[in-house]
Amino acid sequence: MTKKVKFGPAGNPLGYKGKTPQVCDFLADKGLDAYEYQATYGVRISQNPAQELKKNSIKNRVLLSMHAPYYVNLSSADPAVIERSIERLVQSARAAEWMGAYRIVFHPGFYTKYTPEEALKKCKESLETVLEKLDAEGIKNFTFAPETTGKKSQLGTLEEIIDICQSLDKFQPTIDFAHLYARSGGKIKSREDYHQILDILNNELDIDHLHCHFTRIEYGDSGEKKHHTLSEKEYGPPVKPLLEVLKESGWNSTIICETPLIDQDALLLKTCFDNMK
């Protein structure tokens, strides 16, 4: 049986002139039903506007998620960097609770001088500290969603993200299909390739709602280079096989569009999905 798949942009729509707390009015009018608030350079939203955003999302039935600041490296060799990264995730969880975000997406970190195994261990230790701080503050309504990453220097293979989610409470994955595509050198090409990813997730994790990112992407030897629009078909990964697999597999899912045309391409994705038999 087909389950619900929601679609929306990573950040405020192009050309949107209103305030962020009312953005879900705009998205719902366009026919979109998801929104990922971007705290790219820091958590700068205060409690009142965050709570207004929550009310607006509920009114419009738009599912809200949040992307934590990009300046997070939980496997750094510098203790000060880890300390700042932990604080940014604590700030993110606090704001996510205010706004009712169902996922807090974040990039785990970089390998730097460590082996992948050492970096993963260091990351999980840092995340345990995050959870301890949140417990001490009484912040309970959150789910962290570590993201598969696009550069080979980054911590964030599919297997590493699964390991993090298996090891810690209140963690669910963010599957960025473009990042997996770039990191693998373009190996996502067919329905079978998407099925394989979803089968691994299904076997390894208990997922009630799959959070995803999608864009077309340019890559090189080191992985991700640049995001492209859906119309730039010389870049992958392919769109239609993913939507077909999600429709057939019965996953409750959210797809956040990260192309340069974030809301326009999100609507294209939704229209393509809705038109599938």
Side-chain angles (χ1 to χ4, degrees):
M1 180 178 68
T2 299
K3 300 285 186 75
K4 180 66 175 174
V5 180
K6 293 178 176 286
F7 297 87
N12 287 354
L14 301 177
Y16 176 65
K17 304 298 184 185
K19 295 182 178 179
T20 294
Q22 284 76 49
V23 70
C24 295
D25 290 333
F26 184 91
L27 293 172
D29 284 345
K30 293 191 74 165
L32 295 170
D33 48 11
Y35 170 69
E36 191 155 288
Y37 175 84
Q38 302 289 293
T40 308
Y41 301 111
V43 180
R44 296 173 180 170
I45 191 166
S46 57
Q47 185 170 0
N48 285 343
Q51 290 175 335
E52 286 179 41
L53 177 57
K54 178 180 181 177
K55 291 175 184 176
N56 194 250
S57 69
I58 292 170
K59 181 184 79 170
N60 289 287
R61 297 182 180 179
V62 171
L63 185 63
L64 209 67
S65 54
M66 175 185 188
H67 201 303
Y70 282 24
Y71 301 129
V72 168
N73 183 0
L74 297 164
S75 53
S76 174
D78 184 345
V81 170
I82 289 185
E83 186 177 345
R84 289 194 296 270
S85 299
I86 288 169
E87 182 54 33
R88 287 180 179 122
L89 289 184
V90 170
Q91 292 168 355
S92 298
R94 188 182 298 124
E97 187 171 73
W98 292 337
M99 69 176 67
Y102 94 113
R103 294 286 189 273
I104 306 164
V105 180
F106 69 97
H107 302 155
F110 292 83
Y111 299 128
T112 57
K113 69 176 188 177
Y114 298 115
T115 66
E117 294 77 16
E118 290 169 339
L120 180 60
K121 182 175 182 291
K122 201 166 186 64
C123 174
K124 290 192 289 186
E125 289 170 352
S126 301
L127 288 170
E128 286 171 357
T129 302
V130 171
L131 294 178
E132 289 168 4
K133 286 179 175 289
L134 292 175
D135 185 59
E137 286 197 29
I139 298 170
K140 301 182 183 304
N141 298 320
F142 64 88
T143 299
F144 282 112
E147 179 183 345
T148 55
T149 51
K151 295 183 185 295
K152 295 178 181 178
S153 60
Q154 290 177 292
L155 176 63
T157 64
L158 180 61
E159 293 74 19
E160 288 165 346
I161 296 302
I162 288 171
D163 189 306
I164 291 170
C165 294
Q166 288 174 333
S167 302
L168 298 159
D169 290 334
K170 306 186 84 168
F171 278 73
Q172 294 273 300
T174 296
I175 304 304
D176 189 312
F177 290 102
H179 286 167
L180 292 178
Y181 176 84
R183 192 164 185 144
S184 69
K187 290 183 180 177
I188 300 176
K189 298 177 180 178
S190 66
R191 289 158 53 102
E192 289 70 28
D193 295 327
Y194 285 117
H195 267 303
Q196 185 177 17
I197 294 167
L198 294 180
D199 286 347
I200 291 170
L201 291 169
N202 195 43
N203 291 334
E204 297 292 337
L205 295 172
D206 181 17
I207 298 174
D208 58 350
H209 192 113
L210 181 65
H211 193 73
C212 310
H213 286 174
F214 192 88
T215 183
R216 291 196 188 275
I217 200 163
E218 183 178 350
Y219 66 88
D221 292 342
S222 299
E224 170 189 10
K225 290 176 71 175
K226 185 180 179 182
H227 289 195
H228 290 272
T229 66
L230 296 185
S231 63
E232 296 176 271
K233 295 183 179 178
E234 64 268 34
Y235 301 103
V239 176
K240 190 177 178 184
L242 170 62
L243 299 181
E244 288 174 341
V245 166
L246 288 176
K247 192 145 205 163
E248 294 167 3
S249 300
W251 285 79
N252 284 317
S253 315
T254 295
I255 298 183
I256 296 298
C257 182
E258 292 192 316
T259 78
L261 300 175
I262 49 174
D263 55 313
Q264 297 168 37
D265 277 349
L267 195 55
L268 281 178
L269 288 169
K270 185 176 189 299
T271 301
C272 181
F273 182 82
D274 288 345
N275 289 338
M276 286 179 174
K277 294 181 179 180

